[in-house]
Amino acid sequence: MTAAHVVLKDDLLDGQVVRLLGAAPYGGADIGEVLATARRIDEHSLDSWYSEWWALGDRVTESAEQFQAACDVESARLAYLRASGYYRTAGLMLMGLPVDPRFPESLHRQREVFRRGAALLTNPPEIVAIPFEGTTLPGYFYRGGAGDEPRPTIITVGGYDSVMEEQYFFNAAAAVARGYNVLTLDGPGQGTVLTDQGMPMRPDWQAVVTPAVDFLLERPEVDAAKIVLVVPADIEVDDFV
């Protein structure tokens, strides 16, 4: 291991470990759980990658269910949210053709446990469907406070291998804590929009952002003059507008 690596020698795999660690400040991972799991992985085997992260997701989900049964809502929420990131990470490296059935399974599982955790938030997000070209795109709308007072609102999207649940840990949680509304969504080529709806990635993401803005403009709690788009640092904003 060189100084440039956190755990694994493989740049791509180690980069995904770093990515998961980046979710820790807002509850998307536990540093000790991540490092201990990464050290058990045989980096020459994607089966090992998958099985270790999936097993961690199962263990943490089981803990969440035990906490919830004991009416320890705080511990249950934190565990469910961490587990969602572990399931997402398990399937991430299996993305590709031909489709490995474990990849869509990981997307469904991470979404299921994320929603169980998000439902335990003081201000749970609204699960929304954004009208889009004769169908809908899935999303979450997080309110920056109680009531219908118009507030500044952020639309946040990730890259091709990201999902809207992950955006909670990287953008939404921090923004909501500061009074912003947040809309996260999966667009063509992302998450279940790719696997379940069969929509591939497309270059004209302004065609995705525009319906999202239109959706927000219909909501009384959104200040129409204060809508901001947040995109990954390595993506040109011109691709979206």
Side-chain angles (χ1 to χ4, degrees):
M1 184 176 69
T2 68
H5 296 84
V6 174
V7 181
L8 302 174
K9 295 179 181 179
D10 183 278
D11 289 342
L12 181 57
L13 297 182
D14 197 64
Q16 295 306 320
V17 173
V18 172
R19 172 179 176 173
L20 186 54
L21 289 171
Y26 283 95
D30 175 85
I31 293 174
E33 290 173 343
V34 170
L35 295 180
T37 300
R39 291 190 179 106
R40 289 194 296 270
I41 290 171
D42 174 1
E43 52 193 298
H44 301 292
S45 168
L46 291 183
D47 288 338
S48 173
W49 173 273
Y50 173 86
S51 62
E52 291 292 350
W53 292 118
W54 191 272
L56 177 59
D58 281 348
R59 291 194 299 273
V60 176
T61 298
E62 183 178 359
S63 294
E65 291 170 344
Q66 292 171 350
F67 287 132
Q68 193 167 17
C71 298
D72 184 348
V73 174
E74 176 72 4
S75 296
R77 175 181 62 81
L78 291 171
Y80 280 130
L81 294 179
R82 295 201 315 277
S84 73
Y86 302 150
Y87 286 124
R88 181 198 63 78
T89 300
L92 178 63
M93 301 308 299
L94 304 177
M95 186 177 186
L97 293 174
V99 177
D100 187 314
R102 293 174 295 180
F103 174 59
E105 182 183 18
S106 73
L107 294 176
H108 295 150
R109 184 61 170 155
Q110 67 88 28
R111 177 161 297 174
E112 175 196 347
V113 296
F114 177 86
R115 289 182 175 180
R116 292 169 74 178
L120 301 177
L121 290 167
T122 302
N123 187 13
E126 177 184 349
I127 299 171
V128 300
I130 301 164
F132 177 76
E133 297 186 355
T135 184
T136 60
L137 299 175
Y140 297 110
F141 182 76
Y142 300 85
R143 289 177 175 81
D148 289 342
E149 173 192 350
R151 295 175 179 271
T153 302
I154 295 171
I155 304 172
T156 177
V157 296
Y160 78 97
D161 61 348
S162 185
V163 290
M164 61 187 187
E165 288 80 15
E166 185 182 24
Q167 291 302 307
Y168 171 75
F169 306 109
F170 289 151
N171 291 300
V176 169
R178 291 160 175 81
Y180 292 85
N181 299 322
V182 179
L183 175 67
T184 66
L185 69 149
D186 282 345
Q190 296 178 314
T192 59
V193 178
L194 173 65
T195 59
D196 295 10
Q197 295 177 251
M199 291 191 222
M201 183 62 71
R202 53 192 287 176
D204 58 336
W205 259 71
Q206 64 273 21
V208 180
V209 173
T210 298
V213 172
D214 291 341
F215 171 83
L216 290 175
L217 292 177
E218 298 294 322
R219 304 190 66 103
E221 62 270 68
V222 173
D223 185 335
K226 296 179 179 179
I227 298 175
V228 174
L229 175 66
V230 174
V231 300
D234 58 348
I235 294 179
E236 293 291 336
V237 176
D238 290 345
D239 295 337
F240 289 82
V241 296

